Amino acid sequence: MGMENSRILTMTIDMLWEELEGRQEQLFYTAKNLPFTYEIRGGEMFVDRRSKSITKATFQKALEKIRQNPEEITGPKSLNVFGAPYIMAILRGLEE
Protein backbone atom coordinates (compact mmCIF):
# COMPACT_ATOMS: atom_id res chain seq x y z
CA MET A 1 0.00 0.00 0.00
CA GLY A 2 1.64 3.21 -1.22
CA MET A 3 0.80 6.80 -0.37
CA GLU A 4 -0.79 7.64 -3.73
CA ASN A 5 -4.09 8.71 -2.14
CA SER A 6 -2.53 10.63 0.72
CA ARG A 7 -3.58 14.18 1.54
CA ILE A 8 0.12 14.69 2.31
CA LEU A 9 0.60 15.03 -1.46
CA THR A 10 -1.23 18.38 -1.44
CA MET A 11 0.53 19.88 1.58
CA THR A 12 3.43 22.32 1.53
CA ILE A 13 6.21 21.76 4.04
CA ASP A 14 4.97 24.78 6.02
CA MET A 15 1.42 23.38 6.15
CA LEU A 16 2.79 20.03 7.28
CA TRP A 17 5.06 21.58 9.91
CA GLU A 18 2.16 23.63 11.30
CA GLU A 19 0.06 20.47 11.61
CA LEU A 20 2.97 18.69 13.30
CA GLU A 21 3.27 21.54 15.80
CA GLY A 22 -0.39 21.07 16.65
CA ARG A 23 0.05 17.35 17.31
CA GLN A 24 2.99 17.49 19.70
CA GLU A 25 2.78 14.98 22.53
CA GLN A 26 0.24 12.87 20.56
CA LEU A 27 1.12 9.18 20.71
CA PHE A 28 2.23 7.59 17.43
CA TYR A 29 3.44 4.06 16.66
CA THR A 30 6.23 2.97 14.34
CA ALA A 31 5.73 0.10 11.88
CA LYS A 32 7.27 -2.15 14.57
CA ASN A 33 4.59 -0.91 16.98
CA LEU A 34 6.97 1.13 19.14
CA PRO A 35 5.15 4.04 20.81
CA PHE A 36 6.64 7.54 20.66
CA THR A 37 5.82 11.21 21.01
CA TYR A 38 7.68 14.24 19.70
CA GLU A 39 8.28 17.89 20.43
CA ILE A 40 8.93 20.64 17.85
CA ARG A 41 11.56 23.26 18.63
CA GLY A 42 11.96 25.69 15.75
CA GLY A 43 12.89 23.70 12.65
CA GLU A 44 13.64 20.50 14.52
CA MET A 45 11.58 17.60 15.81
CA PHE A 46 12.77 15.74 18.88
CA VAL A 47 11.38 12.23 19.22
CA ASP A 48 11.32 10.83 22.75
CA ARG A 49 12.96 7.57 21.57
CA ARG A 50 15.99 9.27 19.95
CA SER A 51 18.58 11.78 21.02
CA LYS A 52 19.23 13.27 17.55
CA SER A 53 16.60 15.57 16.05
CA ILE A 54 14.81 15.20 12.72
CA THR A 55 14.87 18.49 10.82
CA LYS A 56 12.18 20.25 8.84
CA ALA A 57 14.47 19.85 5.80
CA THR A 58 14.40 16.06 6.26
CA PHE A 59 10.59 16.16 6.24
CA GLN A 60 10.83 18.25 3.05
CA LYS A 61 12.99 15.53 1.44
CA ALA A 62 10.50 12.87 2.49
CA LEU A 63 7.61 14.90 1.01
CA GLU A 64 9.50 15.25 -2.28
CA LYS A 65 10.14 11.50 -2.45
CA ILE A 66 6.48 10.77 -1.76
CA ARG A 67 5.38 13.22 -4.47
CA GLN A 68 7.79 11.74 -7.03
CA ASN A 69 6.60 8.14 -6.64
CA PRO A 70 3.76 7.88 -4.10
CA GLU A 71 2.89 4.31 -5.11
CA GLU A 72 6.45 3.21 -4.33
CA ILE A 73 6.44 4.55 -0.77
CA THR A 74 5.35 1.42 1.03
CA GLY A 75 7.32 1.71 4.25
CA PRO A 76 10.02 3.64 6.09
CA LYS A 77 12.93 2.16 4.13
CA SER A 78 11.47 3.43 0.86
CA LEU A 79 11.74 7.02 2.16
CA ASN A 80 15.51 6.61 2.61
CA VAL A 81 15.89 9.59 4.98
CA PHE A 82 17.11 9.94 8.57
CA GLY A 83 14.38 9.11 11.07
CA ALA A 84 12.24 7.42 8.39
CA PRO A 85 10.39 5.09 10.82
CA TYR A 86 9.19 8.13 12.78
CA ILE A 87 8.46 10.26 9.72
CA MET A 88 6.43 7.46 8.10
CA ALA A 89 4.51 6.77 11.32
CA ILE A 90 3.63 10.45 11.71
CA LEU A 91 2.63 10.90 8.06
CA ARG A 92 0.43 7.81 8.21
CA GLY A 93 -1.00 9.04 11.53
CA LEU A 94 -1.99 12.33 9.92
CA GLU A 95 -4.23 10.37 7.56
CA GLU A 96 -6.33 9.01 10.45
Side-chain angles (χ1 to χ4, degrees):
M1 180 186 103
M3 295 195 74
E4 59 273 4
N5 296 317
S6 174
R7 72 184 184 95
I8 300 299
L9 295 174
T10 63
M11 297 178 93
T12 66
I13 185 60
D14 291 327
M15 289 166 62
L16 174 62
W17 205 250
E18 190 176 308
E19 186 155 345
L20 295 177
E21 288 176 331
R23 292 180 179 237
Q24 294 179 81
E25 304 304 322
Q26 179 178 332
L27 193 59
F28 290 91
Y29 292 88
T30 66
K32 293 183 178 177
N33 212 30
L34 299 172
F36 70 94
T37 60
Y38 66 84
E39 180 182 326
I40 302 281
R41 291 186 228 140
E44 296 179 280
M45 171 184 283
F46 293 85
V47 175
D48 65 353
R49 299 186 69 88
R50 297 203 62 123
S51 57
K52 192 173 176 195
S53 70
I54 302 169
T55 64
K56 186 175 180 178
T58 301
F59 269 88
Q60 176 68 46
K61 269 193 214 173
L63 273 180
E64 288 168 9
K65 286 183 183 225
I66 292 168
R67 285 193 184 109
Q68 287 170 4
N69 290 302
E71 65 284 342
E72 292 180 16
I73 304 300
T74 56
K77 285 185 179 175
S78 56
L79 283 178
N80 197 29
V81 294
F82 175 79
Y86 303 104
I87 293 172
M88 181 62 84
I90 291 166
L91 294 180
R92 288 222 163 115
L94 296 180
E95 297 296 311
E96 296 171 357

